[in-house]
Amino acid sequence: MQESRLFKIVYHLLDKGKATAPELAEKFEVSVRTIYRDIDALSGAGIPIYAEVGRNGGIHLMNDFVLDKAVLSKEEKQEILIALQSINSTKNISNHQTLQKLSAIFNLNSENWIEVDFSRWGNKGTDNEKFELLKSAVIHQKCVKITYANSYGTIRERIVHPLKMSYKSMSWYLKAYCMEKQDYRIFKLTRIINLEVLTDGFCKSSFPELEEASGQTYNTIVLCFPKNISYRVYDEFDKTQVSEKENGDLIVSVEMPEDEWLIGYLLSFGTQVDIIEPVYLKDIVAEQAKKIYEKYKS
């Protein structure tokens, strides 16, 4: 128990910088005297930990102290390398060098167990570059000017405060604060045509919950698909949203926003989907299909 508490004290001081003995005693549910004994034990083990008296005093570590590699178990070291390998997917040079250095420090090989390519087929890596630029802008809190094609067919420039990269439903998105709209917005990375990281910085804020940010209403959509396109159904939907009929056809029940994107999405299945609920969606999709027919008929 004491060994675990000693490590937790060190981690706490690394995170907070400084703490008083009463604060540590309350946090770890021991007496102040026990905390001072722990400090003596850490100091005796070679940890540069100090206690200063006075109004601005407290317990702290030497500024340049870092945890010795022996603190981490072999499994923990491997988990760190695996995590770094996971985010090294865009072939970022600095990430690769960090991975090599940690592998050497830990005396472990980093298994190249994952490969992620953000670019679309035939894209030659420009999506990877876009992802890397946006990642840097999020980390360093730099404004970004983007040229964006929205779902209503409008292409325009916006200046945004990039807050977080988000992966959902097989696509990457940028969660950001839009200066034009003076509100939070979500931008699909593939729809960002051009981007420029600006020198202007911003104060980071928390992105609100999706429902608050999007302003969209999500309704339950029930669809039926023939069994011969089950491969696409499981590409698009989680198995918890899918049930199978006796004849092998698949029923999908999912919450989705009712907008122009949904109509286009349903049309992408052609005749291989039957809309069960809500019934009025059938008329909307049929009307759009009629317009497509009128446009392309000879």
Side-chain angles (χ1 to χ4, degrees):
M1 175 66 76
Q2 183 196 23
E3 183 179 352
S4 174
R5 187 174 65 249
L6 293 179
F7 283 137
K8 289 178 180 178
I9 290 173
V10 174
Y11 295 145
H12 182 78
L13 293 176
L14 282 170
D15 181 43
K16 303 299 182 182
K18 184 170 65 175
T20 65
E23 287 172 352
L24 293 174
E26 181 179 357
K27 178 175 179 62
F28 297 111
E29 299 180 346
V30 295
S31 68
V32 171
R33 180 176 295 181
T34 298
I35 290 296
Y36 280 121
R37 281 201 296 264
D38 289 344
I39 300 308
D40 289 339
L42 288 168
S43 181
I47 304 295
I49 189 167
Y50 299 93
E52 293 182 342
V53 298
R55 183 177 180 182
N56 296 317
I59 299 167
H60 64 91
L61 297 163
M62 186 178 291
N63 290 336
D64 58 354
F65 171 73
V66 293
L67 280 176
D68 185 83
K69 62 180 180 180
V71 171
L72 298 171
S73 67
K74 181 179 179 179
E75 291 74 19
E76 289 169 331
K77 295 172 187 176
Q78 193 65 59
E79 286 296 326
I80 291 173
L81 293 177
I82 288 172
L84 258 182
Q85 184 69 50
S86 302
I87 64 173
N88 194 38
S89 52
T90 57
K91 306 299 186 293
N92 178 275
I93 294 174
S94 62
N95 281 353
H96 181 65
Q97 291 174 343
T98 303
L99 193 59
Q100 286 182 323
K101 289 177 182 178
L102 281 179
S103 295
I105 291 172
F106 293 162
N107 194 27
L108 287 173
N109 290 325
S110 172
E111 297 295 334
N112 190 11
W113 69 281
I114 186 172
E115 180 178 342
V116 180
D117 190 345
F118 298 120
S119 62
R120 290 157 284 188
W121 292 107
N123 185 255
K124 296 184 180 180
T126 57
D127 284 333
N128 285 345
E129 181 182 358
K130 184 191 303 179
F131 180 92
E132 194 63 34
L133 286 171
L134 288 172
K135 183 185 77 173
S136 177
V138 171
I139 293 171
H140 299 291
Q141 296 176 215
K142 294 296 183 182
C143 298
V144 176
K145 180 165 69 174
I146 63 173
T147 304
Y148 190 73
N150 66 23
S151 57
Y152 300 101
T154 303
I155 299 176
R156 65 174 62 172
E157 284 190 349
R158 305 165 182 245
I159 293 179
V160 301
H161 295 172
L163 302 176
K164 183 181 293 186
M165 306 291 286
S166 175
Y167 184 79
K168 187 173 179 64
S169 187
M170 296 180 289
S171 296
W172 278 99
Y173 297 86
L174 173 68
K175 293 184 174 182
Y177 185 83
C178 178
M179 297 301 293
E180 177 186 339
K181 300 295 185 181
Q182 291 291 293
D183 201 359
Y184 295 94
R185 291 290 187 271
I186 298 176
F187 302 96
K188 192 171 185 178
L189 259 64
T190 51
R191 296 178 186 171
I192 297 177
I193 302 170
N194 295 304
L195 71 90
E196 177 186 355
V197 179
L198 306 177
T199 57
D200 297 336
F202 63 91
C203 294
K204 193 167 185 177
S205 57
S206 297
F207 194 88
E209 293 298 322
L210 180 62
E211 290 77 7
E212 299 175 21
S214 65
Q216 290 181 312
T217 300
Y218 287 72
N219 295 325
T220 300
I221 311 296
V222 182
L223 309 168
C224 181
F225 297 93
K227 60 183 178 182
N228 65 298
I229 64 161
S230 60
Y231 66 92
R232 184 174 174 189
V233 172
Y234 288 108
D235 269 348
E236 307 275 346
F237 304 101
D238 186 83
K239 65 179 183 180
T240 59
Q241 300 168 326
V242 182
S243 60
E244 187 174 336
K245 297 173 68 175
E246 289 186 5
N247 65 356
D249 289 350
L250 302 173
I251 301 294
V252 173
S253 180
V254 60
E255 289 189 354
M256 304 179 82
E258 292 187 26
D259 54 17
E260 292 184 10
W261 174 88
L262 176 62
I263 305 307
Y265 178 72
L266 293 175
L267 285 168
S268 73
F269 287 96
T271 60
Q272 300 294 309
V273 61
D274 184 20
I275 301 169
I276 299 175
E277 294 180 14
V279 177
Y280 60 79
L281 265 184
K282 293 184 177 182
D283 293 334
I284 298 174
V285 172
E287 182 62 28
Q288 190 64 30
K290 182 179 179 182
K291 290 179 181 179
I292 295 172
Y293 170 75
E294 292 295 333
K295 179 176 182 178
Y296 291 108
K297 72 176 182 179
S298 55

